[in-house]
Amino acid sequence: MPLTVLSDSDINSILHSLDRDDILVLQNNLAEALHEYSTGTQETTGCCQSNQPQRIAIPATNNQTTLFMPASTSTSRGIKIATLATAPEAPGNDSLPSIESTTSNTSTTSSSISISNRPKPATPASQMSNLSISSSNKTDTSITSSQSTSPIGSLTLLTSTGTPYAFLAASTLTAFRTALASTTIFTRRTNVHTICVFGAGLQALWHIRLALLLRGADIHHIHIINRNFERARTLMETIYTSPSWSHLRNANAKLGFSIVSNEYGEYNRLLKDHVRKADVIFCCTPSTVPLFPAEYMTSAEGRKKGRYVCAIGSYRQHMIELHPDILRQAVAPEHKHHHHRHAERGGVIVVDSLEACMKEAGEVKQAGLSPQQLVEIGELLMVKKASMKDIEEGGEGEVGLKRWLQAGNVIYKSVGLGLMDICVGEDLVMLARERGFGTMVEGF
């Protein structure tokens, strides 16, 4: 069997050639694998949890961590090895800092820009070149700002009998498979008009791209929030100047983008405004402090709006993007009588893996949640699938579940599964062979 080798450039070329129907096929394949992970047994599927060893983390130099993530499906075995930057744990600090400790109230010239398709510019290049941008010279050493957080490594795939058949670069693959899982619930949401994205790396890029591919006609505003303005500006330039983004940025005349960084004097006001108005929040940073105060979502005003909040950037116990109070409120029992109209809560946090998140997710650990307060996305989608079938056959079904997933407050926490890499990697290898991407090594 020939060995297929896919560089990061090859994978980018494949992924940028995919249309909405292609993405939905890949998403459905991943959803089925996650279904089997949550509900299968060793007798029924290779994707079951019993066949997915816990990953091993080995500290490296310069605040980096190397992860070894073995996994299997019914047709493949494999392992991803990836090294990525890790925010250092502050010794002896058991309390969460306030949001002010991570923001700047310095009055600077605007480190904020807005771009809209209304009116449509002559060219994307002229749209970017006409921007007047200045920012603080303050140095931000956080890994959530200037240092790249994209993993560097590889994914090796073997047949069920142990024959190596593919070797893939891990950086873009990891970002894409994470966004593919995140947008499984996103596609079902009723309102996605306003999206907040924390971060400006590969994870942020692929969450934005898949959101536009899947629901572009429904999206009006995308706010990119990042500590380092120049990195966010680079992401915006990619979106507005790259030919592979032209069909996405021009498909909806109502679509507009903005960037806000904490180098801007109005940061706190804009942060609160963007979070409060958001229908969807993608958190894509390896932060060690909450990205915004809990009260933006937990106060009576903050609870009026139903949101889909996805936290995928932190993956160790000391790393955290959402304040624990947000999770605690999400799982708290509903009061039968209250004086304010609130969006519906599901009483659980959706996770990719209950075992992994109980062990590694900072938000889950610091909120003190129990396994009974978490539900795996694979199990949840199985219930949804069954309830939808019942409704189609004339039954009442899980109406409350459907209403919550579509319009309630849904929080999804992911620390990443090797199974996701294997499942998506299999599909990319198939696409590469069909479309002529990559390098084939015969007789390996």
Side-chain angles (χ1 to χ4, degrees), residues 295-308:
E295 64 93 15
Y296 289 3
M297 290 183 60
T298 60
S299 67
E301 183 66 27
R303 294 168 63 190
K304 289 180 180 180
K305 188 180 185 69
R307 301 178 185 86
Y308 173 48

Side-chain angles (χ1 to χ4, degrees), residues 37-221:
Y37 171 83
S38 296
T39 63
T41 65
Q42 286 184 315
E43 290 73 30
T44 61
T45 176
C47 294
C48 69
Q49 187 172 345
S50 301
N51 289 342
Q52 315 303 326
Q54 284 288 299
R55 66 189 179 194
I56 299 172
I58 299 179
T61 58
N62 300 322
N63 292 323
Q64 293 184 320
T65 298
T66 298
L67 300 177
F68 295 80
M69 302 172 66
S72 70
T73 66
S74 297
T75 54
S76 296
R77 307 289 183 266
I79 183 167
K80 185 174 80 172
I81 303 174
T83 299
L84 63 166
T86 304
E89 185 170 2
N93 184 12
D94 296 327
S95 61
L96 288 169
S98 65
I99 193 71
E100 284 76 18
S101 67
T102 65
T103 61
S104 170
N105 290 320
T106 305
S107 294
T108 68
T109 48
S110 174
S111 288
S112 173
I113 61 174
S114 296
I115 301 177
S116 174
N117 285 345
R118 308 183 299 266
K120 190 170 291 186
T123 64
S126 66
Q127 190 171 39
M128 293 302 299
S129 63
N130 288 335
L131 294 174
S132 175
I133 302 173
S134 60
S135 62
S136 161
N137 290 324
K138 180 183 66 175
T139 301
D140 189 342
T141 58
S142 168
I143 67 167
T144 59
S145 57
S146 57
Q147 183 179 350
S148 174
T149 58
S150 299
I152 299 173
S154 61
L155 171 67
T156 302
L157 296 178
L158 305 92
T159 66
S160 58
T161 59
T163 302
Y165 72 88
F167 188 72
L168 296 79
S171 294
T172 298
L173 168 65
T174 301
F176 174 77
R177 61 84 154 146
T178 304
L180 195 67
S182 299
T183 51
T184 302
I185 293 177
F186 168 82
T187 56
R188 294 160 167 81
R189 297 293 291 181
T190 301
N191 294 321
V192 296
H193 297 318
T194 301
I195 299 176
C196 272
V197 181
F198 286 88
L202 276 179
Q203 292 283 11
L205 180 148
W206 280 104
H207 277 78
I208 293 171
R209 185 172 180 89
L210 291 192
L212 290 174
L213 269 169
L214 293 166
R215 297 289 300 275
D218 303 316
I219 299 172
H220 298 168
H221 309 284

Side-chain angles (χ1 to χ4, degrees), residues 1 8 22 42 45 81 101 131 185 196 198 217 223 276 288 293-294 311 316 337 366 375 408 420-421:
M1 174 182 291
D8 204 60
D22 294 326
Q42 286 184 315
T45 176
I81 303 174
S101 67
L131 294 174
I185 293 177
C196 272
F198 286 88
H223 304 298
R276 282 277 174 86
T288 57
R316 296 185 66 185
H337 304 287
Q366 295 184 38
V375 60
M420 296 177 179
D421 298 298

Side-chain angles (χ1 to χ4, degrees), residues 27-36 38-39 180-188 308 350-352 375-389 401 404-405 410 412:
Q27 195 172 67
N28 182 70
N29 292 344
L30 180 58
E32 290 295 333
L34 293 172
H35 292 168
E36 294 175 6
S38 296
T39 63
L180 195 67
S182 299
T183 51
T184 302
I185 293 177
F186 168 82
T187 56
R188 294 160 167 81
Y308 173 48
V350 184
V351 298
D352 53 355
V375 60
E376 290 180 342
I377 188 171
E379 181 181 358
L380 180 68
L381 293 175
M382 284 290 285
V383 173
K384 178 177 173 60
K385 189 175 182 180
S387 67
M388 293 301 98
K389 182 177 180 181
L401 172 63
W404 170 59
L405 285 174
V410 180
Y412 170 64

Side-chain angles (χ1 to χ4, degrees), residues 357-399:
C357 284
M358 286 298 300
K359 179 182 178 182
E360 300 174 340
E363 290 91 348
V364 172
K365 298 291 290 185
Q366 295 184 38
L369 302 187
S370 69
Q372 291 72 32
Q373 293 170 316
L374 309 179
V375 60
E376 290 180 342
I377 188 171
E379 181 181 358
L380 180 68
L381 293 175
M382 284 290 285
V383 173
K384 178 177 173 60
K385 189 175 182 180
S387 67
M388 293 301 98
K389 182 177 180 181
D390 184 51
I391 292 172
E392 290 171 0
E393 294 176 351
E396 183 176 355
E398 296 287 341
V399 178

